[in-house]
Amino acid sequence: MGESIYHNITTPLASTELLEKFYAGQVLEKNTTNYLYQLMVECSRGLTWMKAGLPEGTELVHRTGISDRNENDLRAAMNDVGIFKLPNGNHIVLSVYLKDITEEREVTEKIIADITKSIWNYYTKK
C-alpha cells in the first residue's frame, strides 16, 4: 500500500483572516455570530492545547482539528485556531497549524499551549 496523500484545505493566514472577520461580525448575521461564538467559547475539546497556554479564566473562542496517523505513524495535522481577549480589552486572533507530526500527541498539545503562552506573555508584558 502506498503512502497516504493529504493536505490542509486552508492556511493559517486564511483562518486568521476569517476569524478576524467573524469577530467583527462581518461573516454571519448577528444572532448566528453570537450563537457560534458561544459554541466556540464552550468548546470542550483541546483543553490542553491553546487553552492551557492562557491564564485561568481567560475567554477563548476556538476550534481544534486533528488528523489520524498514517501507515508510517505520521500525523498529517494538528490545529487550533482561536480568539482570546487581553486584559487591556484588545483581542488576539491566533491560528496554530502543525503538520507532519512525529511527536506523541501530548508533546504536540504542549507545543500549541507554549506558542499560545508566548503570544500572551508578549502582549501582556509590562
Side-chain angles (χ1 to χ4, degrees), residues 2 4 8 17 25 27-28 30 37 51 62 80 97-98 107-108 110 120 125:
S4 297
N8 274 310
E17 290 172 347
V27 177
L28 304 167
K30 185 173 181 166
Y37 186 94
K51 191 159 189 80
H62 74 127
D80 200 357
Y97 278 51
L98 304 177
V107 173
T108 312
K110 185 168 181 346
W120 174 271
K125 67 183 177 186

Side-chain angles (χ1 to χ4, degrees), residues 1-2 13 54 57 61 109 125:
M1 178 179 263
L13 180 58
L54 296 171
V61 178
E109 291 170 352
K125 67 183 177 186

Side-chain angles (χ1 to χ4, degrees), residues 12 16 23 34 44 46 56-57 60 73 81 90 95 98 101 105 113 126:
T16 301
Y23 187 79
N34 292 342
S44 61
E56 190 172 330
L60 172 65
D73 203 30
V81 298
N90 291 333
S95 297
L98 304 177
I101 301 163
R105 181 173 170 160
K126 297 186 173 51

Side-chain angles (χ1 to χ4, degrees), residues 71-89:
E71 62 273 7
N72 297 318
D73 203 30
L74 184 70
R75 186 177 306 282
M78 189 168 176
N79 310 321
D80 200 357
V81 298
I83 306 164
F84 55 89
K85 294 182 183 175
L86 299 170
N88 66 7

Side-chain angles (χ1 to χ4, degrees), residues 6-22:
Y6 59 84
H7 63 279
N8 274 310
I9 57 173
T10 191
T11 66
L13 180 58
S15 294
T16 301
E17 290 172 347
L18 177 61
L19 282 176
E20 188 65 51
K21 288 178 181 176
F22 168 74

Side-chain angles (χ1 to χ4, degrees), residues 99-111:
K99 68 177 189 171
D100 299 334
I101 301 163
T102 57
E103 292 83 6
E104 293 299 317
R105 181 173 170 160
E106 294 76 20
V107 173
T108 312
E109 291 170 352
K110 185 168 181 346
I111 291 169

